[in-house]
Amino acid sequence: MPTTPKTLVRHSIPFLLLLFCATRSETRSYLRLHANGSETHSLKEKGDDLFALYRGTILANDSKRKKIAYTCGSGDLCGGVGDRLKGFASTFVLALLLDAEFVVEWTSPVPIDSFFKMPVMTNGEGLRKSAKNATTWSLIDAHSSSMELKKLRMSNFRELWRSNDFISIHLNGAVWNHFVMNEHLVDIGDKYSLNRFSKRQLFEVVMKYYFSTPMPALQNFVVREAAKFR
Ligand SMILES: *[C@@H]1O[C@H](CO)[C@@H](O)[C@H](O)[C@H]1NC(C)=O
Ligand SMILES: *[C@@H]1O[C@H](CO)[C@@H](O)[C@H](O)[C@H]1NC(C)=O
Ligand SMILES: *[C@@H]1O[C@H](CO)[C@@H](O)[C@H](O)[C@H]1NC(C)=O
């Protein structure tokens, strides 16, 4: 058979299809594991998309929705501010991936909402009291490469908390990327296109969303202190 360009193309179609499918799935898993956010959308746009979808989801159906709380009360091990912010972001991402409502029980040494106006209702403690079956889950000071971190990627949290309506999380690690890679939570990660965010970007958008609006007391304090350095 003579090899005309036409027959060459015809014979190549199955091969090209196969190549296309293979690279597509490879690209998807590559992105999931190595996303570094290099793309055209700005980080602000990506963050806005994520929170618009999240608000739409939780507001659509509030009463039956599971609540996942970042918890730091008096007597709890929470660490310093850096530990708390890392635990906060990790817990938010876990709530997102479980299609749960994220709430905040940060009350020590003072309630966090006396410093920042949180964009959604965050009174975790009040909600916990009205929960039917609240539970607690802790992972403090996990070391990288520990078994505990591996568990974050492998645990079936949906199954674990199937009969709980309120879960208080004590966590101080920058472990949100482990939750994003959890094999049981991949579907929701896709819904929120989490592979569009690098680890650092995901932290940044969560911090910006929750810690952008200081309450007057904090604002006045900052203005007063800043004036001393002029
Ligand atoms: C981001 O990932 C792309 C591949 O997806 C790579 O070419 C690029 O060098 C990476 N950039 C950084 C800063 O890691
Ligand atoms: C509301 O929540 C329930 C239980 O989680 C779920 O089965 C149902 O599909 C949700 N409805 C909407 C509109 O999201
Ligand atoms: C409450 O949750 C626990 C798991 O934390 C479960 O074993 C128990 O059956 C639940 N109780 C009810 C009444 O759902």
Side-chain angles (χ1 to χ4, degrees), residues 57 60-61 64-65:
T57 301
N61 197 355
K64 289 228 175 70
R65 200 163 284 281

Side-chain angles (χ1 to χ4, degrees), residues 133 135 160 163-164:
N133 196 1
T135 190
L160 180 66
S163 42
N164 301 109

Side-chain angles (χ1 to χ4, degrees), residues 30-31 34-38:
Y30 174 81
L31 274 177
H34 303 280
N36 61 10
S38 60

Side-chain angles (χ1 to χ4, degrees), residues 86 90 139 142 149 152 171 173-180 199:
K86 286 187 274 183
S90 301
L139 182 63
L149 288 183
L152 300 183
L171 186 60
V175 296
W176 54 90
N177 60 322
H178 294 280
F179 294 134
V180 171
K199 185 182 178 191

